[in-house]
């Protein structure tokens, strides 16, 4: 009897270990890093949501297309939320965000004046004609009375005369540039969620917004070796510009990819984090 | 009111801190930059230039200046004898001092 109980104990321990190591290795490394940054463990359901995201990206063949990425939800602290998806990715630098600006289900909220992240990811890190950026905004961005940048850099009129940006430009419109100088507008619907740009060639790029793809004609050019800012944009050689008071719970930058595929994975992650943290 | 007046209440609550803007001259901004270069923090306090040549930070940073706060380390290096040089004003008034960025 004693042996049997001991044996069951061993079995139980082994199952626990199997369960723990069943996570994708990159997901486990990310979970470990987030927990270290938070200073405490995550809930099992949050860890499973993270794991499902990693596994899903790999199943879709787009995991390696993300070269900078933060899941800004689920973690217990801003430090955890700013943990890069993979340790080789740049860790963003927090400028002026405080704990009260962070929600575990809705991410970081800017103040429209002083707060932004420096992604520490250079616009030159990804090929000019093989690039993407994407964000997830959990609530509809308030209609700005002045332009507000969601992510990117701009050097319009400067030496490089191009930009990689997503900017809300007054009510109902935003401006997008994908390493080009063209001013591409798109109307904004009343939809929160995923937005992204992806360029796979020199002549056009794709905008995804509110579940639809829009192809924009805009010739690319080599960007400056400057960092993309998040919840604002980096005015090359000047500094942060157009900080937003919107919320953001995910961003990624990297190679061109199928934005609808990434949106599906991010949306699932958002749903699972939301269910894990009611 | 100046930051010196708030010392007994620090750290402030997030809700209270959000109602304030902290406005100061360039020499204090440069001193803050020096401190953050000498003691690189994880979280940077990054003042924004105003249209009248001063700098502003959001007062909610004062919710994180305790020993365990996100800005506690940097705050510990500040010279409290100069806190009377930091003007504390309503956040809406501070925002009105910021430039309206037009280039996109």
């Amino acid at each position: 009897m004693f042996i049997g109980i001991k044996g069951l104990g061993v079995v139980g321990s082994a199952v626990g270990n199997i369960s723990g190591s069943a996570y994708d290795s990159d997901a486990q490394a990310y979970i470990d890093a987030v927990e270290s940054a938070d200073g405490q463990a995550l809930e099992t359901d949050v860890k499973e949501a993270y794991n499902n995201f990693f596994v899903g990206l790999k199943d879709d063949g787009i995991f390696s297309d993300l070269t900078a990425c933060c899941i800004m939800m689920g973690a217990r602290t801003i430090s955890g939320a700013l943990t890069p998806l993979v340790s080789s990715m740049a860790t963003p630098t927090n400028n002026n965000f405080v704990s009260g600006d962070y929600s575990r289900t809705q991410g970081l909220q800017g103040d429209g004046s002083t707060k932004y992240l420096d992604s520490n990811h250079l616009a030159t890190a990804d090929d000019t004609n093989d690039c993407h950026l994407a964000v997830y905004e959990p609530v509809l961005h308030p209609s700005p009375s002045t332009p507000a940048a969601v992510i990117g850099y701009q050097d319009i009129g400067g030496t490089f005369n191009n930009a990689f940006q997503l900017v809300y430009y007054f009510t109902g419109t935003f401006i997008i540039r994908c390493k080009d100088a063209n001013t591409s507008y798109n109307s904004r619907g009343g939809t929160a969620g995923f937005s992204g740009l992806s360029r796979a060639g020199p002549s056009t790029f794709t905008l995804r917004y509110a579940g639809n793809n829009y192809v924009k004609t805009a010739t690319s050019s080599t960007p400056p070796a400057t960092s993309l800012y998040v919840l604002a944009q980096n005015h090359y050689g000047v500094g942060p510009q157009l900080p937003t008071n919107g919320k953001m719970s995910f961003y990624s930058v990297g190679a061109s990819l199928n934005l609808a595929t990434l949106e599906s994975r991010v949306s699932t992650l958002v749903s699972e984090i939301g269910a894990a943290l009611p | 009111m100046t930051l010196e007046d708030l010392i007994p209440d620090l750290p402030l609550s997030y809700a209270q801190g959000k109602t304030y803007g902290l406005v100061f001259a360039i020499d204090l901004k440069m001193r803050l930059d020096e401190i953050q270069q000498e003691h690189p923090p994880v979280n940077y306090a990054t003042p924004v230039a105003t249209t009248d040549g001063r700098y502003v930070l959001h007062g909610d940073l004062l919710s994180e200046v305790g020993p365990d706060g996100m800005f506690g380390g940097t705050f510990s290096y500040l010279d409290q004898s100069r806190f009377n040089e930091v003007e504390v004003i309503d956040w809406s008034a501070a925002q009105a001092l910021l430039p309206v960025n037009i280039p996109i």
Side-chain angles (χ1 to χ4, degrees):
Chain A
M1 188 64 169
F2 174 79
I3 293 174
I5 292 171
K6 186 177 182 181
L8 286 172
V10 170
V11 170
S13 174
V15 169
N17 288 338
I18 290 170
S19 176
S21 62
Y23 291 142
D24 170 87
S25 60
D26 289 311
Q28 185 64 60
Y30 174 74
I31 290 165
D32 291 345
V34 171
E35 290 181 333
S36 176
D38 280 347
Q40 55 183 314
L42 292 165
E43 298 87 345
T44 298
D45 287 350
V46 172
K47 291 191 284 189
E48 290 184 354
Y50 286 158
N51 183 64
N52 292 341
F53 183 65
F54 276 76
V55 171
L57 292 178
K58 291 183 177 183
D59 286 348
D60 293 336
I62 59 173
F63 180 73
S64 62
D65 292 331
L66 276 56
T67 57
C69 179
C70 281
I71 301 170
M72 298 189 292
M73 56 187 157
R76 295 181 184 274
T77 67
I78 290 180
S79 292
L82 299 187
T83 300
L85 199 68
V86 179
S87 62
S88 59
M89 295 177 178
T91 300
T93 300
N94 170 25
N95 290 274
N96 299 331
F97 284 103
V98 298
S99 300
D101 299 322
Y102 174 67
S103 156
R104 294 187 71 192
T105 54
Q106 299 208 324
L108 279 178
Q109 177 162 26
D111 65 0
S113 300
T114 66
K115 299 170 189 280
Y116 67 98
L117 301 176
D118 179 345
S119 73
N120 292 311
H121 183 82
L122 300 182
T124 48
D126 306 296
D127 192 278
T128 302
N129 295 316
D130 183 10
C131 60
H132 91 272
L133 65 74
V135 300
Y136 190 94
E137 296 172 283
V139 295
L140 184 64
H141 188 286
S143 293
S145 57
T146 57
V150 178
I151 187 170
Y153 81 86
Q154 71 96 353
D155 185 41
I156 298 301
T159 303
F160 292 85
N161 192 34
N162 55 34
F164 194 21
Q165 63 183 168
L166 198 164
V167 176
Y168 291 130
Y169 184 64
F170 301 115
T171 304
T173 305
F174 59 76
I175 290 175
I176 55 271
R177 295 187 177 103
C178 194
K179 298 183 180 177
D180 61 71
N182 190 52
T183 304
S184 299
Y185 294 94
N186 209 86
S187 62
R188 292 180 59 207
T191 307
F194 181 93
S195 305
L197 310 175
S198 182
R199 176 184 287 278
S203 304
T204 64
F205 70 89
T206 299
L207 159 71
R208 186 166 181 82
Y209 176 71
N212 296 304
N213 283 351
Y214 305 88
V215 176
K216 303 293 182 181
T217 300
T219 302
S220 64
S221 57
T222 302
T226 196
S227 179
L228 278 67
Y229 287 1
V230 180
L231 290 160
Q233 69 180 3
N234 180 4
H235 186 183
Y236 176 59
V238 178
Q241 181 188 47
L242 306 178
T244 173
N245 59 355
K247 293 183 178 180
M248 187 183 297
S249 49
F250 173 89
Y251 76 83
S252 69
V253 185
S256 64
L257 46 67
N258 185 320
L259 292 167
T261 301
L262 179 60
E263 176 177 12
S264 177
R265 292 300 176 188
V266 174
S267 296
T268 299
L269 174 65
V270 170
S271 296
E272 292 183 353
I273 294 286
L277 302 171
Chain B
M1 181 168 61
T2 72
L3 183 54
E4 183 177 42
D5 301 314
L6 290 177
I7 288 176
D9 302 321
L10 297 180
L12 301 182
S13 69
Y14 175 67
Q16 185 180 6
K18 283 193 80 67
T19 66
Y20 295 138
L22 311 176
V23 184
F24 43 91
I26 190 170
D27 57 331
L28 281 186
K29 187 264 186 190
M30 292 175 67
R31 179 64 192 133
L32 178 61
D33 291 346
E34 286 175 358
I35 289 170
Q36 293 183 118
Q37 287 174 0
E38 293 166 3
H39 309 280
V42 173
N43 305 291
Y44 279 80
T46 306
V48 176
T50 65
T51 53
D52 63 2
R54 295 182 292 169
Y55 288 84
V56 67
L57 284 169
H58 202 151
D60 57 11
L61 267 66
L62 298 176
S63 67
E64 298 281 2
V65 297
D68 298 325
M70 295 173 65
F71 296 92
T74 298
F75 189 78
S76 70
Y77 291 111
L78 300 179
D79 181 357
Q80 292 200 10
S81 70
R82 300 191 67 183
F83 279 8
N84 60 355
E85 299 175 40
V86 180
E87 188 178 359
V88 180
I89 63 176
D90 287 342
W91 176 236
S92 58
Q95 286 182 297
L97 294 172
L98 298 175
V100 178
N101 290 297
I102 297 300
I104 299 175

